Amino acid sequence: MKMEECKMSIGSLSDQVLNRLSNMLDNSTCGWRQLANAVSEQPKFRCSERELTSCSLQVLSAAGSPGRTLLAWLADRTCPLDFLLHCLRKIDHQEAVQYLTTTVPELIQVTVQPQTQQATVGGRVVLICRASGPPGLSYQWFRGNEEILDETGNTPELVLCPLAPVHHGSYICRVHHGENFIFSQWAHVRLVRSAGRSPGCSSSLFPGSVSGLQITGQPQSQEVSEGDTLFLECNAEANPPAQYEWYHDMVPMTQHKTRSLKIPCVTTAHRGEYRCKIFNLYHEVWSDTAKVTIGPRSTDVTDDSWVEVDRGPDSKEVHRSGINPLQQMASPSPSAKNFYATDKVALLIGNMNYLYHTQLCAPIADVHELTNLLRQMDFKVVSLLDLNWQEMHSAVTEFLLLLDKGVYGLLYFAGHGYENYGNSFMVPIDAPASYTSEHCLCVQNILTRMQEKKTGLNVLLLDMCRKRNLYDDVIVQPGLLKVTANIVFGYATCVDAEAYEVKREDVSNGIFISFLKRRVCEDEKVTVMLDRVAEDMGRCVITRGRQALELRSNLSERRSLTDQIQTSECSESHSARNLQWAVAHVLPTSHYLQFDCGVKVQLGFAAEFSNVMVIYTRILEKPGEIVSCCAQLTDFPPDVDVDLKKTNQDTLLEAGSLLLIKENLPSPEVPSLYTRIRCLQRLRRELTFTVCLHYTYSNMDDEVQERQPVSVGKPLVSKLNLHEPRPSRASSGSSSSSLDSFNIPECSSFSSVGSDSNAWLYHSQTARQSSTTAASRSANVPEEMDSPELFHDAPQPLVASKSLPHSQVNDTNYKFSDSFHSH
């Protein structure tokens, strides 16, 4: 192969080549496991234990392929073909080496993608698509599904001039050579209004001229730690569209030719200066220099070993090196070992849509943001929305099954709650109007069960009110807690106080999570991190006197949520936990339906939460005589919650998904219809529905319909059957809200697992409770300017946003929602 071909990324290989390679690697003697060990010589390509387990799970599905999954991860990390060939030679896989060396020279790779542009009517737009491959490449342009047949339609450059309303739409280029072909990405041409227009074909971005280039976003200097992901971005407006080349210490980075530079698992070799060269046919500019510093990861130290000293009346105390014991305890040994977890698991519950109580808004956004942050720290996260009493009990039971010796367990709840006689109670969505402890879950009983598993760290974050419940006069007696020194309670508010959520037009956030998300990933002792969150909340004027974080802890070791995972010696137990966690994260594989009229439809699936799924449909192929067609879903089972008014929508937002999913969905430019399925935990049988195809022929006015039934099994958390009671044992003297009424086996069996999905893209967070009187208040200026606050001084209209990213907390205005008692 030529040098340029060797430097190509695995991601440039076609599906046909990748499928052929994966078939060669799906064996136990010289296959994907040996390849995973070989690529680990480069740290950035090393697979974690979780990723290897996910690969293994693929064999449980008829269409699953461990080798294909491994190649997909290597492609995501921009692994070059020459390194893949090196590793295949290293494991002596001659068949794969021979196949790659003969196939790659025939591959087609798009080197310049067409870019989305906007211009005024009468202007000029140039779409460019360039590709490398064998001689004699041909280019074929399409607007939507229609081929462009004029003289400019079969060249690398598509010139639209003068622009007219008919040019508005999505464009794609098909590059082919013989039977081999590849499609470019979609580019959208938008027409915008303009008060005036220069004569001739001028760009709306650069009036009066045909071409232009202007940088609109510069890469920023930053400091990251070894093992983190480095992300730099440079944006430009250009006509013709801009191309990008990244340089590290003025050495070109040939694998990075997009506006974003992403390097996973950085090492000290990546420190230095980065610049981006932006150019098009007529201009060339350089970005600012971004200096990147790579520092070592901070390490945890513990006290050195200590020996009890006999302090008899006549004896002298003997200390090491003549140092006072108190001084010794205050000076940890530099050789002390780090703390680690044998695994890290989290259960996040957000209850919003209560049947007999005030509806909450914030849990969906809070659970989503906390889930993403915990996943960054290698937590196995199950995120659930709107659970009733039975489902909450079953979910907690399944969560306890994931715990084992040395595991870090985290439970987060957002919703209505109360506190009586020192015990905290989480309220399910089906709790009656005058609920008591028997209708709720006692947090202290859950903690007792967690301790039975000999966990390394127990963190409970309760984002709920702690007012007294006047309807409940029962004093619950939880099980006795052990003296373990590994418990952390983080309460969103103080005793006998309420928790609030920030009211916004579309997505709300809780006060607690708004501050917690800034700190939760800090490599600090958990209690130190939560103390800083409390200080941040205390500096915000609008929360002072209304809500203050309360921390209770007996944690004596410097354990952090960022501690690394070191698998325990009990590998079978670890594998069982991984498999059980994976059960709740299995998405159906894509379905391809062929209708009698010749139309081919794709059904795709993506997870928003562990019990919320989005299904999208799109047309892949249709005969030329059909002028219009769409595939819609109908006939859903009554078990799941589907808003029929929001099914088969053109956008996720119209389908009811406020937290847009960025992965595992087609490009927004690809025409698709979206349907959102909620409450999958209540699904009692396989999920079935009907795909109804509506289409019209060019010579007919009447619409024709075809229908096909579809069954996709039990997706996501529905496999756990949370609607079913867990086996009970002899009841203890505690309240029925205690988990003591459930028998927690040491391991569980499950049904066959389908293809593993890495789509825990969106997870939910909690909603807080409120006070009896409505309180709408303007925000105030922060007292300390060195700590950015959530609120501003000037009352302005609410800003519509899907989340509260760190970079935008100062750009959003809030008010307290109308607040209500939690009971």
Side-chain angles (χ1 to χ4, degrees), residues 1-2 5-6 8-14 16-22 24-25 35 71 74 79-89 93-107:
M1 290 189 297
K2 299 178 182 178
E5 294 162 349
C6 290
M8 290 170 56
S9 169
I10 293 178
S12 62
L13 298 176
S14 65
Q16 179 183 358
V17 175
L18 290 172
N19 289 335
R20 177 73 182 276
L21 275 178
S22 62
M24 299 177 185
L25 293 172
L35 179 60
L71 291 174
L74 293 177
C79 177
L81 281 176
D82 58 350
F83 183 69
L84 176 62
L85 276 169
H86 162 73
C87 294
L88 290 172
R89 292 189 180 102
H93 202 310
Q94 297 298 329
E95 182 185 8
V97 171
Q98 177 66 22
Y99 176 69
L100 267 185
T101 52
T102 56
T103 302
V104 168
E106 301 300 322
L107 293 179

Side-chain angles (χ1 to χ4, degrees), residues 343-402:
D343 207 349
K344 297 195 285 191
V345 297
L347 172 63
L348 278 59
I349 300 176
N351 284 347
M352 301 184 300
N353 298 305
Y354 282 85
L355 302 180
Y356 310 107
H357 302 281
T358 308
Q359 305 295 294
L360 302 175
C361 301
I364 186 172
D366 291 344
V367 173
H368 153 61
E369 295 196 48
L370 184 57
T371 299
N372 287 337
L373 293 170
L374 291 175
R375 282 170 50 82
Q376 293 177 24
M377 296 181 283
D378 294 326
F379 271 86
K380 295 178 174 67
V381 182
V382 175
S383 58
L384 300 168
L385 295 183
D386 291 331
L387 303 186
N388 60 31
W389 182 89
Q390 180 59 65
E391 293 158 359
M392 286 184 69
H393 272 276
S394 299
V396 171
T397 301
E398 294 294 333
F399 168 66
L400 293 172
L401 290 175
L402 297 177

Side-chain angles (χ1 to χ4, degrees), residues 24 50 56 266 272 283 301 317 320 353 393 413 417 586 620 668 718 769:
M24 299 177 185
R50 180 179 65 182
S56 301
V266 297
H283 305 275
V301 293
E317 297 180 4
R320 292 177 295 177
N353 298 305
H393 272 276
F413 173 75
V586 177
L620 295 182
S718 63
Q769 287 147 354

Side-chain angles (χ1 to χ4, degrees), residues 22 26 32 54-59 64-71:
S22 62
D26 287 340
W32 67 272
S54 296
C55 285
S56 301
L57 286 172
Q58 303 302 314
V59 300
S65 169
R68 187 69 171 84
T69 304
L70 176 63
L71 291 174

